[in-house]
Amino acid sequence: MRPGGERPVEGGACDGRSELELLKLRAAECIDEAAERLGALSRAIWSQPELAYEEHHAHRVLTHFFEREPPAASWAVQPHYQLPTAFRAEWEPPEARAPSATPRPLHLGFLCEYDALPGIGHACGHNLIAEVGAAAALGVRGALEGLPRPPPPVKVIVLGTPAEEDGGGKIDLIEAGAFTNLDVVFMAHPSQENAAYLPDMAEHDVTVKYYGKASHSASYPWEGLNALDAAVLAYNNLSVFRQQMKPTWRVHGSTDFGNVTFVVPGIHPYFHIGSNALNHTEQYTEAAGSQEAQFYTLRTAKALAMTALDVIFKPELLEGIREDFKLKLQEQFVNAVE
């Protein structure tokens, strides 16, 4: 191991740059080389928005992208992975595929979302999330393929995760065991600002139904039950209760990526796409499909790919991630007990 804890990367360095820096540059080049295909992928998803669990067009576009991604058959694709509109695409160096390969490859997951909102389409930019996940995975694969000798044991996995806006598709996939063997997951979300770190809460949906009872409001009002009043009172009481809630609690719609980070360490930065429009508006839908957004989207994909390469070639970083994850889980357990 080199001073500073980095695994040696064969092939030498030039211009005073480290070998890992050169690998990162190669990952960025691979993403740029695929920019036209990645942009077409994003536009195809954006142009035909679909709601949660019904993302059949987006699912088909994404699975075909990986099935046909050159060189041929480089990705092993499971098109209907645990859910009808989920998928899993895997790549690993040929040496790691041998039955006798040791040690166990490092499993890195890149997540893609692609569901839209009712009436306003991709107003949260999930077409760009899908593009970022796909692009970052291509960058990592391209960088590792360019090594003059076999790379470290690693498996690059792209997970298509439907139904973020409604239903919690990632929760379904967690329960189905889709995240069991992943070591670290990567995802990025378009927003009104750049944020390298923004905590995400886990999601637990509660559906409450109120049933009223009709009666004559003048003759027999005491026979009636007003379901609307009950719902209004429940909302008001929860709203008043917020000031007594712990800082780690939220009562609103958070993201199912928060649930993922209870089972595997993950990173979920936010990135500006060149528009001041607010998420979940028609203006943001337009921005998510614009050519201007492509620069910021691919820049973010490069950052994710470079971060993944750090995880691969810096064992102390991976060790720190695992230790931090363990401590966070213990902290959450203590908070839950209290």
Side-chain angles (χ1 to χ4, degrees), residues 13 28 50 76 84 104 157 171 177-178 186 212 225 281 298 315 317:
E50 299 163 300
R104 171 191 174 274
I157 298 162
I171 300 172
F186 301 83
L225 295 173
T281 64
L298 295 183
L317 175 60

Side-chain angles (χ1 to χ4, degrees), residues 73-275:
S74 58
W75 294 90
V77 180
Q78 298 179 60
H80 303 288
Y81 182 68
Q82 307 295 349
L83 296 171
T85 56
F87 72 90
R88 184 181 181 111
E90 297 182 355
W91 173 86
E92 58 184 332
E95 298 80 8
R97 300 171 195 164
S100 59
T102 56
R104 171 191 174 274
L106 179 66
H107 288 59
L108 301 181
F110 295 88
L111 307 189
C112 296
E113 294 177 1
Y114 34 90
D115 60 325
L117 288 159
I120 52 176
H122 282 285
C124 212
H126 286 193
N127 60 303
L128 302 179
I129 295 176
E131 182 181 1
V132 163
L138 295 192
V140 173
R141 191 205 74 182
L144 296 178
E145 283 183 330
L147 286 172
R149 61 174 295 173
V154 63
K155 180 178 286 189
V156 179
I157 298 162
V158 182
L159 277 182
T161 61
E164 192 275 340
E165 294 290 357
D166 183 24
K170 295 185 192 64
I171 300 172
D172 297 332
L173 290 171
I174 290 170
E175 293 174 349
F179 292 89
T180 301
N181 293 320
L182 297 185
D183 293 293
V184 185
V185 294
F186 301 83
M187 180 180 150
H189 198 300
S191 183
Q192 290 83 46
E193 60 182 346
N194 291 313
Y197 173 73
L198 193 63
D200 290 313
M201 304 296 178
E203 177 187 10
H204 182 73
D205 291 336
V206 176
T207 301
V208 180
K209 295 183 178 181
Y210 296 91
Y211 297 94
K213 179 182 178 183
S215 68
H216 196 285
S217 58
S219 301
Y220 307 102
W222 54 86
E223 296 288 342
L225 295 173
N226 193 313
L228 177 60
D229 284 349
V232 169
L233 286 172
Y235 171 83
N236 289 336
N237 288 331
L238 284 171
S239 184
V240 170
F241 184 55
R242 288 176 196 242
Q243 61 182 333
Q244 273 74 48
M245 292 182 180
K246 294 182 178 180
T248 54
W249 297 357
R250 297 290 186 272
V251 181
H252 54 60
S254 284
T255 168
D256 55 8
F257 186 86
N259 299 69
V260 172
T261 58
F262 274 79
V263 295
V264 59
I267 185 172
H268 186 285
Y270 290 79
F271 63 100
H272 181 62
I273 62 171
S275 170

